[in-house]
Amino acid sequence: MPAPPVPSDDLTQFGYRQELRRSLGGFSAFAAGFSFVSILTTVFQLFGFGYTFGGPLFFWSWPFVLAGQVLVALVFAELAARYPLAGSVYQWAKQLARGFAGWLAGWMMLLGCVVALAAAAIALQIVLPSVWSGFQLVGGDPSVTSPTGATNAVLLGTLLIVFTTVVNAAGVRAMARINDIGVAAELIGVVVLIGGLALFAVRGPQVVVHSVPVSDGASAAGIGGVLASALMAAYVLYGFDTAASVAEETRDARRAAPRAVLRAVLVSGLGGLAVVLTALMAAPSLTDGELAGHGLPYVITAVFGDTFGRIFLADVAIAVIVCTLTIQTGTIRLIYAMARDNALPFSARLSGVNPRTGTPLWPAVVSGALAIALLGVNVGNPTLFSTITGTSVVVVYLAYLLVTGPLLVRRLRGRFPAEPGLFSLGRWAVPVNVAAVAYGVVMIVNIAWPRAEIYDLAGSGSPWLLLFPVEFVGAALLIGWFCWLRLRRSTTPALEPAV
């Protein structure tokens, strides 16, 4: 017999009670995952970065990353059907691994979400000064690799996070309405962008098989550059699990959440792949340095003209706002999910749900404050974008690995049988899970590799800068271990799996 859907007013089988308002449909769940990924935000944010490293060949990092993330999403879809709970990655890891290992996935995902929130917010700097120079509030060079551009990015990002915090605190319906409208606008924008770039293409799709210098006098990119350029696709294609993180607010979550997770990664991945390909086909030049220096905004204004280009960039700005809003939504649900298990400091306050808005208020405030603080310590830092981006990828991929790894162990021990009526990989479960784990390990090593072009643009040679992601993870593990010990001594066994 098919497993019954989780009743909207009863989560007792998992040890919880329904506190959040179950008012989201399948599209809103998909929209949560899609707008966390946000093609227009992340591809615009890092296109120039990817091209600088790999030239046209950086296109091939996309199919590899998309294939790997689809494997991860298939594994997550199974878990979303079994455990339709707020907090997704934390809840899944908690069910699969007891003790510190299960808690650690939630802790790392929380840190990754805060870093991602800051990284998404500063993407406004890529777009708004190109729409109107008045958005460069501090004056000077608007490039994010300049001190004035980085400072302005922090200012714009802070204002955006204040706005998203207010909206998230107002309730899930306000968030969902803005998110649904923003996702619709982004989907239309992606279709228009792909169609327009393809229509005005000046070269064929074979551009992606040729290695050319990215600027006059530069050398063509090698395999090392292509590997480094994978940071762009890796950064774009994570966060789709947010579609499952709002499961306690989604109707018929056992069926809606797995579909939403898979649709979010597939639509985002295929759409982003098409944007990258058509942008390379339509760019006026591949070697004048403009594509590497200014990325997609350069292509948009060159192809569509100044007026239409600015209108389209305004649509991209909307996507950035919605992306930041949704990342914070997922972060709030994660904080709430961990706090109600007494798995965070100050859990009693963080687990509270405002009776009027039906949303966790303090997690909204805390997540916003932490992201703004992270931006604040990077004022004027020209490596702001690449450092925060690379670190967020490493931390989130590690959190994903702490889910796919323990699940593989349970499968190999025969302790994860299929449940009738729920999404299942069947006989492909073990091969897909093995490939998902292998992909996660490869990408963590690749992105964390100490490349000066990512983590030390000034060329200081400082090992502290080059190893920043490793140091961040090490500090996170150390702090997390002490937090875990303190929580174990002072709380009830709610940290253990609920089922």
Side-chain angles (χ1 to χ4, degrees), residues 331-349:
T331 308
I332 291 167
R333 271 58 187 172
L334 178 57
I335 294 174
Y336 166 76
M338 295 184 72
R340 69 179 175 184
D341 280 357
N342 300 317
L344 288 175
F346 311 107
S347 286
R349 186 173 293 276

Side-chain angles (χ1 to χ4, degrees), residues 221-462:
I223 184 63
V226 176
L227 289 174
S229 72
L231 172 59
M232 175 197 175
Y235 174 67
V236 174
L237 293 175
Y238 76 74
F240 49 84
D241 58 285
T242 305
S245 197
V246 293
E248 289 183 32
E249 295 151 280
T250 304
R251 296 185 293 270
D252 195 13
R254 284 191 186 274
R255 292 174 177 82
R259 295 171 185 168
V261 168
L262 293 173
R263 287 171 182 166
V265 70
L266 286 171
V267 172
S268 300
L270 295 175
L273 194 70
V275 169
V276 171
L277 176 60
T278 53
L280 291 172
M281 293 167 57
S285 172
L286 300 177
T287 59
D288 63 359
E290 291 293 325
L291 197 56
H294 298 95
L296 274 183
Y298 153 70
V299 179
I300 296 301
T301 53
V303 171
F304 296 113
D306 187 66
T307 300
F308 186 79
R310 289 174 187 268
I311 293 173
F312 190 86
L313 290 175
D315 185 53
V316 176
I318 294 173
V320 173
I321 293 169
V322 174
C323 174
T324 306
L325 175 68
T326 306
I327 291 175
Q328 189 173 22
T329 300
T331 308
I332 291 167
R333 271 58 187 172
L334 178 57
I335 294 174
Y336 166 76
M338 295 184 72
R340 69 179 175 184
D341 280 357
N342 300 317
L344 288 175
F346 311 107
S347 286
R349 186 173 293 276
L350 292 174
S351 62
V353 175
N354 186 288
R356 185 177 62 85
T357 63
T359 192
L361 179 59
W362 278 107
V365 175
V366 169
S367 60
L370 289 175
I372 290 173
L374 182 59
L375 291 179
V377 300
N378 284 281
V379 171
N381 177 14
T383 62
L384 171 70
F385 257 20
S386 55
T387 298
I388 289 182
T389 301
T391 302
S392 70
V393 170
V394 171
V395 174
V396 172
Y397 272 53
L398 180 58
Y400 283 2
L401 191 62
L402 289 169
V403 174
T404 57
L407 177 58
L408 178 59
V409 173
R410 293 193 64 164
R411 289 192 200 276
L412 295 176
R413 293 176 177 175
R415 295 172 53 199
F416 198 81
E419 291 188 10
L422 299 183
F423 178 85
S424 174
L425 295 175
R427 59 182 178 146
W428 291 100
V430 171
V432 168
N433 205 155
V434 169
V437 170
Y439 164 77
V441 172
V442 169
M443 287 304 296
I444 289 172
V445 172
N446 181 42
I447 302 304
W449 202 261
R451 296 182 176 94
E453 298 86 348
I454 297 178
Y455 302 112
D456 185 16
L457 288 177
S460 67
S462 169

Side-chain angles (χ1 to χ4, degrees), residues 20-87:
L20 305 177
R21 295 175 181 173
R22 198 176 290 275
S23 58
L24 302 182
F27 180 80
S28 293
F30 155 76
F34 177 81
S35 39
F36 192 119
V37 175
S38 187
I39 303 170
L40 291 184
T41 298
T42 49
V43 173
F44 268 77
Q45 189 175 3
L46 287 180
F47 186 95
F49 173 90
Y51 190 80
T52 298
F53 274 104
L57 295 181
F58 97 95
F59 168 86
W60 295 105
S61 66
W62 265 87
F64 174 76
V65 172
L66 174 57
Q69 290 297 70
V70 167
L71 294 170
V72 176
L74 286 168
V75 173
F76 284 2
E78 277 193 307
L79 295 168
R82 292 196 186 208
Y83 311 114
L85 301 167

Side-chain angles (χ1 to χ4, degrees), residues 35-292:
S35 39
F36 192 119
V37 175
S38 187
I39 303 170
L40 291 184
T41 298
T42 49
V43 173
F44 268 77
Q45 189 175 3
L46 287 180
F47 186 95
F49 173 90
Y51 190 80
T52 298
F53 274 104
L57 295 181
F58 97 95
F59 168 86
W60 295 105
S61 66
W62 265 87
F64 174 76
V65 172
L66 174 57
Q69 290 297 70
V70 167
L71 294 170
V72 176
L74 286 168
V75 173
F76 284 2
E78 277 193 307
L79 295 168
R82 292 196 186 208
Y83 311 114
L85 301 167
S88 58
V89 167
Y90 162 70
Q91 292 286 358
W92 302 336
K94 188 186 75 172
Q95 307 295 335
L96 299 171
R98 291 180 176 270
F100 180 66
W103 178 86
L104 182 62
W107 173 250
M108 298 304 291
M109 191 67 194
L110 175 56
L111 296 178
C113 283
V114 171
V115 176
L117 177 58
I122 56 178
L124 280 180
Q125 183 65 24
I126 298 290
V127 182
L128 288 185
S130 297
V131 174
W132 178 49
S133 60
F135 284 115
Q136 182 61 28
L137 303 175
V138 300
D141 185 359
S143 171
V144 295
T145 57
S146 69
T148 54
T151 300
N152 201 67
V154 170
L155 180 56
L156 293 177
T158 298
L159 294 174
L160 176 54
I161 292 172
V162 170
F163 168 75
T164 60
T165 299
V166 172
V167 173
N168 271 302
V172 69
R173 286 190 177 181
M175 181 281 298
R177 287 195 187 104
I178 295 175
N179 194 35
D180 289 351
I181 294 172
V183 167
E186 181 167 2
L187 287 171
I188 293 171
V190 169
V191 172
V192 171
L193 176 61
I194 294 171
L197 291 176
L199 182 64
F200 292 100
V202 296
R203 61 187 65 84
Q206 67 272 15
V207 63
V208 300
V209 299
H210 299 295
S211 179
V212 300
V214 299
S215 62
D216 293 335
S219 301
I223 184 63
V226 176
L227 289 174
S229 72
L231 172 59
M232 175 197 175
Y235 174 67
V236 174
L237 293 175
Y238 76 74
F240 49 84
D241 58 285
T242 305
S245 197
V246 293
E248 289 183 32
E249 295 151 280
T250 304
R251 296 185 293 270
D252 195 13
R254 284 191 186 274
R255 292 174 177 82
R259 295 171 185 168
V261 168
L262 293 173
R263 287 171 182 166
V265 70
L266 286 171
V267 172
S268 300
L270 295 175
L273 194 70
V275 169
V276 171
L277 176 60
T278 53
L280 291 172
M281 293 167 57
S285 172
L286 300 177
T287 59
D288 63 359
E290 291 293 325
L291 197 56

